């Protein structure tokens, strides 16, 4: 199948065209075209995503990116077999822009439109790799770490999930963004904190200046909590007074160590309990090199545990993962291609 996909759940407007073949257990994807416009710079001024601005920018950019992706692939709309569109979770005004655009195209081209859960997109995001296609060995354990979500999920077969733990307050990416803001760094904060932390690591700093908590690291469940860590950063800065460049680097490193310790410890405990064959980590925060390495090392502690993370460009929001999830949903339930139901944005759906 040739699938056109549309993603507008947050501040990335993205479209892709994917050639999708194979089965639920061994899908084969070839990326034909990819167009993405990040609004991050526009939102930076507000210190986070501003929904009305996101909506306006999606509406403005969707037709431009559609022309771009069609031109890139040299495909006529007649070649498209299905349109996959994110319907949630995310910002509802932003989600509606993608859904309305997808349904209008579907009608015009007489092509079915398939709704996709954004988090399912993050789960399947490692399946397409520039050099080779991957497949998951089930059961999988997936840790999802994005700007809106932090959860541990067990999946015994494709597209079936049980959430075993999640954050009780802030998501990990959100915590990165808020800590960055307190340190005077621009939005999105994740990459900025990483850059500073890396400088401290390159200097050989070993973390004596600051000590941040590792919230819920020893609790018996698989839940997380990051709002206390955010407050600890606030107090540390307040008690210290003006931060020098080196203070910020050291604080960034301690912050990154603290969050990595927690997510690695919880994931290790979940691997021991659920014994998955594959560990998947998805969501924007897994673009982080330090965290990628930490999980690669964790997976090596277990024999016969495959490790699967998306390429960096497919870690943060994109439309390629939406096309992959759309295709898998079609394989699982081909009747969705015949559905006449109007798609509705659902800001809070879970897996
Ligand atoms: O998955 P994503 O693109 O959007 C959501 O679905 O939320 O995740 C965005 C989040 C932001 O909070 C951003 O700061 C974080 O991912 N992020 C990072 C890095 N790149 C993006 N966090 C840590 N290190 C990074 N390199
Ligand atoms: Zn996302």
């Amino acid at each position: 199948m040739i699938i056109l996909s549309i993603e507008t759940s947050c501040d990335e407007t993205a479209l892709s065209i994917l050639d999708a073949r194979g089965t639920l257990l061994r899908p084969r994807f070839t990326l034909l075209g990819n167009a993405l416009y990040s609004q991050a710079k526009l939102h930076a001024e507000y210190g986070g995503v501003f929904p009305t601005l996101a909506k306006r920018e999606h509406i403005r950019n969707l037709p431009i990116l559609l022309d771009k992706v069609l031109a890139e692939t040299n495909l006529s709309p007649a070649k498209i077999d299905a349109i996959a569109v994110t319907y949630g979770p995310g910002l509802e005004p932003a989600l509606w822009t993608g859904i309305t655009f997808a349904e209008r195209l579907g009608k015009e081209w007489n092509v079915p439109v398939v709704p996709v859960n954004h988090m399912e997109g993050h789960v399947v995001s490692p399946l397409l790799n520039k050099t080779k296609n991957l497949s998951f060995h089930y059961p999988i354990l997936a840790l999802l770490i994005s700007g809106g979500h932090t959860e541990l999920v067990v999946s015994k077969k494709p597209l079936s999930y049980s959430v075993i733990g999640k954050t009780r307050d802030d998501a990990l990416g959100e915590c990165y963004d808020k800590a960055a803001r307190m340190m005077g760094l621009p939005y999105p904060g994740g990459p900025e904190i990483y850059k500073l932390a890396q400088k401290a690591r390159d200097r050989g700093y070993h973390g004596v200046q600051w000590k941040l908590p590792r919230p819920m690291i020893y609790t018996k469940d698989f839940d997380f909590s990051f709002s206390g860590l955010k407050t600890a950063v606030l107090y540390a800065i307040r008690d210290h007074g003006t931060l020098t460049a080196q203070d910020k680097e050291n604080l960034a490193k301690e912050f990154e160590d603290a969050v990595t310790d927690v997510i690695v410890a919880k994931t290790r405990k979940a691997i021991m309990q659920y014994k998955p064959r594959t560990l998947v980590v998805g969501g924007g925060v897994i673009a982080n090199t330090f965290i990628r390495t930490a999980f690669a090392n964790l997976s090596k502690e277990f024999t016969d545990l495959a490790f699967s993370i998306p390429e960096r460009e497919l870690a943060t929001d994109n439309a390629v993962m939406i096309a992959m999830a759309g295709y898998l949903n079609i394989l699982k339930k081909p009747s969705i291609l015949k559905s006449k139901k109007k798609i509705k944005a659902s800001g809070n759906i879970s897996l």
Side-chain angles (χ1 to χ4, degrees):
M1 294 185 86
I2 304 287
I3 299 186
L4 168 75
S5 61
I6 301 171
E7 156 65 39
T8 62
S9 68
C10 193
D11 59 348
E12 257 91 38
T13 319
L15 280 91
S16 83
I17 298 181
L18 201 67
D19 177 317
R21 299 159 193 251
T23 61
L24 268 173
L25 285 171
R26 279 181 73 82
R28 291 289 171 261
F29 300 113
T30 310
L31 183 59
L32 303 178
N34 194 17
L36 184 142
Y37 172 74
S38 171
Q39 308 169 6
K41 281 210 171 69
L42 301 174
H43 294 280
E45 202 178 313
Y46 303 92
V49 182
F50 187 48
T52 325
L53 176 62
K55 175 179 166 179
R56 192 190 75 195
E57 286 298 308
H58 286 314
I59 291 172
R60 196 167 74 88
N61 291 307
L62 278 166
I64 301 171
L65 294 177
L66 174 67
D67 286 347
K68 196 173 156 212
V69 80
L70 285 173
E72 186 186 335
T73 50
N74 219 352
L75 278 177
S76 81
K79 292 270 187 274
I80 310 274
D81 297 302
I83 300 171
V85 63
T86 306
Y87 75 104
L91 303 167
E92 287 198 0
L95 289 164
W96 275 119
T97 64
I99 295 170
T100 310
F101 190 74
E103 293 209 312
R104 206 181 308 137
L105 283 183
K107 214 177 209 168
E108 201 177 305
W109 299 346
N110 197 21
V111 168
V113 183
V114 174
V116 171
N117 181 316
H118 179 85
M119 298 315 290
E120 188 157 72
H122 280 305
V123 174
V124 304
S125 61
L127 290 173
L128 177 70
N129 187 289
K130 272 200 203 82
T131 45
K132 57 179 191 292
N133 268 275
L134 298 176
S135 34
F136 296 150
H137 298 288
Y138 288 84
I140 66 175
L141 173 74
L143 171 71
L144 302 176
I145 40 178
S146 70
H149 292 79
T150 298
E151 51 199 24
L152 269 165
V153 181
V154 171
S155 169
K156 291 192 176 153
K157 55 178 200 237
L159 312 188
S160 130
Y161 309 97
S162 122
V163 178
I164 59 164
K166 57 177 189 239
T167 181
R168 297 186 179 175
D169 38 61
D170 293 351
L172 182 53
E174 183 183 3
C175 184
Y176 256 102
D177 294 337
K178 287 177 176 167
R181 196 173 173 183
M182 290 170 200
M183 292 166 67
L185 304 169
Y187 171 85
E192 301 293 327
I193 290 197
Y194 169 75
K195 272 187 243 158
L196 294 190
Q198 197 50 40
K199 285 189 184 161
R201 284 189 284 264
D202 289 345
R203 244 196 293 116
Y205 170 71
H206 285 302
V208 283
Q209 185 184 4
W210 311 93
K211 202 70 207 159
L212 294 172
R214 270 68 174 156
M216 296 185 70
I217 192 165
Y218 296 121
T219 58
K220 288 211 170 68
D221 53 31
F222 297 106
D223 283 350
F224 302 90
S225 167
F226 293 108
S227 78
L229 180 60
K230 171 189 72 187
T231 315
V233 172
L234 181 71
Y235 290 162
I237 295 173
R238 189 194 60 187
D239 296 346
H240 184 86
T242 313
L243 299 177
T244 64
Q246 207 169 84
D247 290 337
K248 281 191 193 178
E249 292 163 13
N250 294 351
L251 181 58
K253 177 189 179 289
E254 172 62 10
F255 175 86
E256 206 148 81
D257 284 348
V259 301
T260 307
D261 284 352
V262 172
I263 55 179
V264 167
K266 288 269 160 155
T267 306
R268 179 186 292 113
K269 201 153 71 77
I271 296 170
M272 290 180 347
Q273 182 163 330
Y274 290 91
K275 303 188 171 45
R277 290 181 68 202
T278 306
L279 170 64
V280 173
V281 189
V285 181
I286 200 61
N288 184 297
T289 306
F290 181 72
I291 297 178
R292 292 170 87 87
T293 308
F295 279 102
N297 291 336
L298 172 67
S299 68
K300 286 184 201 135
E301 292 174 21
F302 300 88
T303 40
D304 299 330
L305 177 70
F307 176 51
S308 235
I309 48 172
E311 292 191 4
R312 249 182 216 86
E313 309 90 90
L314 297 189
T316 46
D317 286 351
N318 64 86
V320 181
M321 66 184 195
I322 302 305
M324 292 196 274
Y327 174 68
L328 298 176
N329 274 281
I330 294 167
L331 288 184
K332 190 174 180 193
K333 199 174 161 217
S335 63
I336 49 174
L337 292 174
K338 302 257 169 328
S339 170
K340 292 269 171 292
K341 256 211 267 163
K342 277 234 159 289
I343 299 172
K344 265 181 67 183
S346 306
N348 292 317
I349 39 154
S350 59
L351 273 175

